[in-house]
């Protein structure tokens, strides 16, 4: 099965998108659409996330909360689960929005999930422009650290 780190984890070569080759408006629309499916009765802060995969697929996720507040699933958790459930691969571009469609930065935990599944070159849509994951999570811990 596909439980090993993605090929090309260092982000080099095939499968990477350049900033301009990504249809960010379309990706944000995917995020807004899935945001409407969020289950966020406690925070009343619905979130939607969407990402491109290196084979061209789009994967999405929304946050799912719980009466036990601490076990809430962020939108990114659903997105990463959808990535693997739909065949795996490497994320190349990512966006995340709130109820108003404003861009959101992933929380710390979700940055780690994105790092594992996109690597340093994953393009992240932020209010200050598109930046690589290596800027969003500098000095990251990753799969290769387990082999040192
Ligand atoms: N949330 C996300 O879905 N992703 C993030 O990166 C930040 C926070 C959700 C979790 C919770 O359901 C709500 O936003 C308020 O924190």
């Amino acid at each position: 099965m596909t439980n090993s780190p993605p090929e090309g984890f260092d982000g080099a070569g095939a499968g990477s998108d350049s900033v301009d080759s990504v249809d960010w408006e379309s990706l944000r629309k995917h995020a807004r659409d899935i945001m409407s499916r969020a289950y966020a009765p406690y925070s009343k802060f619905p979130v939607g996330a969407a990402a491109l995969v290196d084979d061209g697929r789009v994967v999405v996720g929304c946050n799912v909360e719980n009466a036990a507040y601490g076990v809430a699933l962020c939108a990114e958790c659903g997105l990463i689960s959808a990535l693997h459930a739909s065949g795996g691969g490497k994320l190349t571009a990512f966006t995340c929005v709130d109820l108003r469609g404003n861009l959101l930065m992933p929380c710390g935990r979700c940055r780690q999930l994105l790092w594992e599944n996109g690597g340093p070159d994953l393009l992240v849509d932020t209010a200050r422009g598109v930046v690589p994951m290596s800027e969003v999570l500098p000095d990251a811990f990753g799969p290769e650290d387990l082999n040192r």
Side-chain angles (χ1 to χ4, degrees):
M1 289 302 293
T2 53
N3 283 335
S4 50
E7 296 258 339
F9 176 79
D10 63 2
S16 299
D17 271 307
S18 70
V19 175
D20 293 338
S21 73
V22 176
D23 184 344
W24 291 101
E25 267 317 311
S26 167
L27 204 58
R28 289 173 197 142
K29 180 171 180 355
H30 281 285
R32 288 194 300 272
D33 287 350
I34 196 68
M35 180 272 298
S36 68
R37 304 238 170 133
Y39 175 69
Y42 306 106
S43 71
K44 302 196 178 353
F45 192 82
V47 178
L52 279 180
V53 186
D54 57 357
D55 65 0
R57 270 153 51 230
V58 174
V59 288
V60 297
C62 57
N63 55 334
V64 177
E65 298 182 347
N66 192 281
Y69 297 165
V71 300
L73 301 173
C74 284
E76 293 89 334
C77 298
L79 181 151
I80 297 297
S81 185
L83 169 70
H84 288 277
S86 63
K90 182 175 178 181
L91 302 179
T92 58
F94 170 85
T95 192
C96 188
V97 299
D98 68 12
L99 179 62
R100 296 177 175 173
N102 292 327
L103 293 177
L104 274 187
M105 290 305 284
C107 75
R109 175 182 185 279
C110 291
R111 293 179 193 206
Q112 190 69 32
L113 293 177
L114 292 170
W115 182 271
E116 180 89 15
N117 291 280
D121 292 340
L122 169 62
L123 298 173
V124 181
D125 197 14
T126 82
R128 64 184 173 93
V130 175
V131 299
M133 196 59 208
S134 55
E135 272 187 37
V136 175
L137 189 63
D139 303 316
F141 173 86
E144 74 283 4
D145 291 306
L146 297 176
N147 300 323
R148 286 191 210 285

